[in-house]
Amino acid sequence: MIWPTRVVRSGAGAPVVLIHGVGLDLGMWDELARALDGEFELIRYDMLGHGGTPLPAGEAELDRYVAQLGEVLCAEGLRQPCVVGYSMGGLVAGRFAARHPGDVGKLVLMSTVFRRTEAERHAVRARLEQAEDGDEVAGAQASVERWFSPAFIQAAPGRVEAIRQRLLANRRQDFLAAYRIFAGADGVLPEAAPQIRCPALVLTGDQDTGSTPRMAEELARSIPDAALRIVPGQKHMLPVEGVMAAAAALRDFLGPGGTRRAA
């Protein structure tokens, strides 16, 4: 491979590739891996500059992350797997699926941004500026409060703290490189969506303020063959706090009849 990407494979069955979001790593999928144990083969990897995967020198751009996905599929011998992209991972997965239609069997875009409003663009730029100013502790705390419900923070403090520590452990310049891409990538999926030819599932929580139900609805309408699922009572960290709903959505989508459009 061009990059020494950290990859973890587990389970057995149809292959499902999982791509995490900004500031996280493949460990964000731990709950989903346990929920789907024995039903699918899950292939998790760390994006460039995250976890155990370095970011090569040079200017970072989304296409480097897209190329990394192609390298993972090739190196792991995967032919037309289901690819699940979460948050920034959804931008990577969506662009890859549009540009390489024969390489993706099914696509899941989970908690993914699409056509931010001006207020939403202002909010993500403000979070980027906070990160650039170097207040990592405040930024990490704000993230977990935005991503998780107060009830989950109280019920699972250890898991929330692990996510917060993951954010604090990031290599600063690598994290900022990814965050700048994420914050400025509003045109990625509007361009890619009409070119996606495989069946797709668009999935988000009804209380997600960063990847809103409105975004998910518009994204699903823009993809020729897409199902939509909005999960009640869930914020941004759907694969952790809402893992049972996320697992059920994947089972439904990957099973017989799973390409139907749905609300």
Side-chain angles (χ1 to χ4, degrees), residues 3-142:
W3 304 289
T5 295
R6 180 170 73 128
V7 179
V8 171
R9 299 180 73 147
S10 62
V16 178
V17 178
L18 303 171
I19 313 173
H20 63 79
V22 175
L24 301 167
D25 67 2
L26 59 80
M28 72 156 283
W29 301 108
D30 286 351
E31 285 83 358
L32 188 65
R34 288 192 291 270
L36 295 175
D37 184 39
E39 299 181 57
F40 304 100
E41 182 181 19
L42 302 182
I43 300 93
R44 301 180 274 166
Y45 73 92
D46 287 341
M47 287 199 302
L48 297 173
H50 292 74
T53 302
L55 177 65
E59 183 177 353
E61 57 185 8
L62 183 63
D63 282 346
R64 298 180 81 179
Y65 299 80
V66 173
Q68 182 193 20
L69 172 56
E71 290 290 333
V72 168
L73 298 188
C74 181
E76 298 297 320
L78 300 170
R79 293 176 56 85
Q80 294 190 322
C82 173
V83 177
V84 180
Y86 168 83
S87 197
M88 179 178 167
L91 302 178
V92 174
R95 176 170 281 187
F96 183 88
R99 293 185 175 180
H100 304 277
D103 292 340
V104 179
K106 288 188 176 183
L107 176 69
V108 179
L109 300 175
M110 185 184 301
S111 306
T112 302
V113 296
F114 186 78
R115 288 187 177 140
R116 294 183 180 104
T117 65
E118 182 54 40
E120 290 161 347
R121 286 193 292 271
H122 176 78
V124 74
R125 286 196 299 265
R127 294 195 293 272
L128 173 59
E129 290 170 4
Q130 182 185 45
E132 290 174 331
D133 287 342
D135 194 349
E136 291 94 347
V137 173
Q141 184 61 32

Side-chain angles (χ1 to χ4, degrees), residues 134-212:
D135 194 349
E136 291 94 347
V137 173
Q141 184 61 32
S143 292
V144 297
E145 291 176 359
R146 189 172 64 254
W147 293 349
F148 294 107
S149 70
F152 188 82
I153 291 173
Q154 183 174 11
R159 184 55 170 138
V160 174
E161 178 61 14
I163 295 289
R164 195 179 77 89
Q165 290 299 323
R166 172 64 265 167
L167 292 169
L168 292 173
N170 283 309
R171 297 176 289 276
R172 174 173 165 74
Q173 291 306 314
D174 293 355
F175 170 71
L176 290 176
Y179 210 155
R180 290 182 186 117
I181 292 169
F182 176 70
D186 286 339
V188 171
L189 287 182
E191 176 185 352
Q195 307 304 318
I196 294 171
R197 295 294 175 251
C198 64
L201 170 65
V202 179
L203 177 67
T204 200
D206 72 343
Q207 297 180 25
D208 191 334
T209 59
S211 306
T212 65

